[in-house]
Amino acid sequence: GAGVSQTPSNKVTEKGKYVELRCDPISGHTALYWYRQSLGQGPEFLIYFQGTGAADDSGLPNDRFFAVRPEGSVSTLKIQRTERGDSAVYLCASSDRGGGLTGELFFGEGSRLTVL
Amino acid sequence: RKEVEQDPGPFNVPEGATVAFNCTYSNSASQSFFWYRQDCRKEPKLLMSVYSSGNEDGRFTAQLNRASQYISLLIRDSKLSDSATYLCVVIVNSGNTPLVFGKGTRLSVIA
């Protein structure tokens, strides 16, 4: 597709379970970002990839959160032992190499995670 | 202190009104500034960049005051379709470093 694709669009899980969220960026975009957004808040940075490597993972809240991008395209955000406080919309965005200068990130529609 | 602070609103204005949003940022090393728009339950999208000299795009004007670490967005002749949340965004360093988002200011334009 032409845009950033995220799956699943909605995920309901129980406290303590493991969750994977997938992001398929725009073809050719080398930079990929994960943000999460809680109700009434702006997007909060989690991790940023340039190619296959995590260029900045300073936003990951703790070691239950992990993300990979093994082939420099699709990325998976993994959350272990989910907690109710993890409930949020997880947004993925991609940009070309100039994104850091133009400020234009292209976001997917997000994966809404609800932890019961 | 939050890196990017905005008045959350909501701002409820009649069609045709002029409305201004303000944003302050804490890191004086911040280099680039933007406004994003987010419709209800949708993803954020870039509205416009903010340049030191100020810039205009149709009914929208963005201004930057580096000395006061302050950014503004002015919307003239508000339309119903302008109803959305407006997110102030800052990049501290260039080169694909993460964008830092404010909480957003919610605007409702009323007929």
Side-chain angles (χ1 to χ4, degrees), chain A residues 35 37 48 100 102-103 105 108, chain B residues 34 36 38 41 43 91 96 99:
Chain A
Y35 285 81
Q37 187 171 27
Y48 149 61
T102 65
L105 300 190
Chain B
F34 310 90
Y36 269 67
Q38 186 172 24
R41 291 186 166 261
E43 71 275 20
I91 296 179
N96 278 328
L99 276 62

Side-chain angles (χ1 to χ4, degrees), chain A residues 16-109:
Chain A
K17 299 289 188 185
Y18 170 80
V19 164
E20 286 191 357
L21 306 175
R22 176 191 164 107
C23 173
D24 198 343
I26 292 172
S27 177
H29 279 188
T30 57
L32 185 146
Y33 304 76
W34 283 99
Y35 285 81
R36 73 174 173 182
Q37 187 171 27
S38 301
L39 194 63
Q41 304 295 316
E44 173 195 14
F45 169 71
L46 296 176
I47 186 169
Y48 149 61
F49 290 89
Q50 184 63 253
T52 59
D56 185 342
D57 64 357
S58 62
L60 295 177
N62 51 59
D63 61 6
R64 295 187 298 106
F65 289 75
F66 189 71
V68 295
R69 193 185 186 200
E71 297 176 358
S73 178
V74 170
S75 176
T76 304
L77 178 66
K78 308 180 181 197
I79 310 174
Q80 298 177 318
R81 304 184 303 280
T82 51
E83 299 177 356
R84 291 193 181 90
D86 298 335
S87 296
V89 176
Y90 288 80
L91 292 164
C92 177
S94 70
S95 72
D96 60 21
R97 289 192 64 84
L101 296 173
T102 65
E104 185 157 28
L105 300 190
F106 295 87
F107 282 87
E109 293 188 345

Side-chain angles (χ1 to χ4, degrees), chain B residues 4-104:
Chain B
V4 180
E5 299 219 43
Q6 296 182 249
D7 180 344
F11 283 60
N12 299 313
V13 304
E15 272 187 292
T18 295
V19 61
F21 306 136
N22 302 320
C23 167
T24 57
Y25 59 95
S26 61
N27 192 330
S28 59
S30 299
Q31 296 192 7
S32 305
F33 311 90
F34 310 90
W35 285 99
Y36 269 67
R37 171 189 169 131
Q38 186 172 24
D39 292 309
C40 189
R41 291 186 166 261
K42 295 289 190 181
E43 71 275 20
K45 293 182 180 177
L46 178 65
L47 177 66
M48 61 195 300
S49 303
V50 185
Y51 302 125
S52 297
S53 54
N55 49 298
E56 193 172 302
D57 183 0
R59 297 180 294 108
F60 297 80
T61 300
Q63 293 196 310
L64 167 65
N65 184 324
R66 284 189 184 272
S68 301
Q69 294 180 203
Y70 169 98
I71 304 155
S72 66
L73 177 68
L74 183 79
I75 305 175
R76 290 182 299 278
D77 188 23
S78 300
K79 311 290 185 193
L80 294 175
S81 58
D82 293 335
S83 298
T85 295
Y86 291 84
L87 299 158
C88 178
V89 183
V90 169
I91 296 179
V92 176
N93 297 302
S94 62
N96 278 328
T97 53
L99 276 62
V100 180
F101 286 78
K103 289 177 65 165

